[in-house]
Amino acid sequence: MFKKTLLLLGVMALATPAMATELTNPFYTPNKGHVASVTSLEASRYQDKDKSGYNGRQYDKVLSEALSYGVTDEISVDAAISNTWMRQAPKMGISEVNKEDTNIDWVLGGTYTYGTGPVKMQGKLAYGQKESWSHENGGAYKYVKADAKAGYDFGVVLPYVQASWEMPLWASHDGADKPIYLVRGAAYKQWCNKLATDLGIAYTHFEGSEVSTWTVDAEVSYFLTPDWTLGMYGNYAFDGRSKDRGTVYAEKIGLRLRTQF
């Protein structure tokens, strides 16, 4: 079951007006010739249990770095790398604790953003590998992912919707060969030219493992300068259902540093 955990936790993943860079805007893309950097440090917990007494838990700490280069003002090439420190708590009465601290995951892709007026649209396409999957499966989890967003900027608030589709590649065991779907609604707003918030609610369905979750998420960011922001973010799965295990719980909290140069 824990081989599916990394997928759930990974899924279970403000602008100031007159500023040239809106680093925390959900439709942000670096300008041509510029590089955007997002450094994140997060901790998360996943738990699934049922009436038979099964109570599996996993705790992860993840350090990640994401870079985007503006090919044009609308198009960027993107790359990200992360390391996961994993701890699995005792389950089914077994006292062993499994730890992993060399789990390198990476993603390569591209982004296209449209919207010089109030209508905003963005599309992403990426290929990724999760080496943190390897210790239980004898190989990395490999996938392609497509993501789309659309929103309308009313000036005081920017509501938007998001949908993503993730398809595993070259996998054929234990539900790892089926797609993952996510739909999300959110609202983004800047406050007092210094603070920014992004609040959302999402539904995720893992077709292979037949796990479905409802998750609320939030991020609050502070503009240190027009080109640097520091934010705190988190999410909580308040309604998770697993066909095999019953009830699923998950939460995440983290810090995020953004810049453009």
Side-chain angles (χ1 to χ4, degrees):
M1 183 64 188
F2 283 107
K3 62 188 69 175
K4 306 180 187 75
T5 303
L6 296 169
L7 299 179
L8 178 60
L9 294 176
V11 176
M12 293 222 358
L14 347 260
T16 54
M19 284 188 175
T21 56
E22 302 183 44
L23 296 176
T24 51
N25 191 298
F27 295 90
Y28 167 77
T29 302
N31 296 329
K32 180 180 179 180
H34 288 263
V35 176
S37 168
V38 181
T39 306
S40 303
L41 177 63
E42 65 184 40
S44 59
R45 181 184 74 94
Y46 174 91
Q47 180 180 14
D48 62 82
K49 61 181 181 179
D50 61 20
K51 295 180 180 179
S52 71
Y54 180 91
N55 185 12
R57 287 162 289 157
Q58 181 166 311
Y59 305 87
D60 289 346
K61 295 182 178 66
V62 181
L63 177 64
S64 64
E65 173 64 28
L67 297 172
S68 296
Y69 174 76
V71 179
T72 70
D73 288 344
E74 298 81 23
I75 299 173
S76 69
V77 292
D78 313 317
I81 189 169
S82 65
N83 190 81
T84 301
W85 288 265
M86 180 191 306
R87 179 170 65 89
Q88 293 181 358
K91 52 187 178 180
M92 296 295 289
I94 301 174
S95 60
E96 291 108 355
V97 175
N98 182 19
K99 293 184 178 182
E100 294 286 341
D101 60 1
T102 55
N103 298 309
I104 303 299
D105 301 340
W106 57 269
V107 181
L108 293 175
T111 300
Y112 173 74
T113 303
Y114 168 84
T116 56
V119 176
K120 308 293 183 183
M121 291 186 288
Q122 187 178 82
K124 294 176 178 283
L125 186 64
Y127 169 83
Q129 289 193 186
K130 295 184 179 181
E131 300 295 338
S132 52
W133 176 272
S134 301
H135 72 284
E136 290 186 348
N137 297 272
Y141 171 78
K142 304 172 184 180
Y143 63 94
V144 291
K145 185 173 184 178
D147 183 276
K149 296 177 188 172
Y152 190 92
D153 191 348
F154 289 95
V156 294
V157 66
L158 169 56
Y160 65 98
V161 293
Q162 178 181 359
S164 69
W165 169 82
E166 180 175 311
M167 185 66 198
L169 301 174
W170 309 300
S172 60
H173 59 279
D174 201 17
D177 58 340
K178 301 292 175 55
I180 302 168
Y181 304 97
L182 177 144
V183 291
R184 177 175 176 263
Y188 163 82
K189 180 177 174 59
Q190 65 84 23
W191 304 82
C192 304
N193 297 330
K194 280 294 185 180
L195 288 176
T197 57
D198 194 340
L199 310 175
I201 182 170
Y203 173 78
T204 308
H205 177 68
F206 304 82
E207 188 171 302
S209 56
E210 299 189 56
V211 173
S212 299
T213 63
W214 282 96
T215 305
V216 291
D217 61 83
E219 180 171 1
V220 179
S221 301
Y222 178 77
F223 279 82
L224 303 170
T225 74
D227 293 324
W228 288 88
T229 71
L230 179 63
M232 176 177 289
Y233 64 95
N235 62 38
Y236 174 71
F238 64 90
D239 186 16
R241 303 294 175 183
S242 167
K243 180 180 178 181
D244 296 333
R245 296 298 181 192
T247 306
V248 172
Y249 305 90
E251 58 247 1
K252 177 189 297 183
I253 189 169
L255 295 174
R256 186 170 283 150
L257 181 68
R258 303 177 190 261
T259 187
Q260 173 179 280
F261 52 90

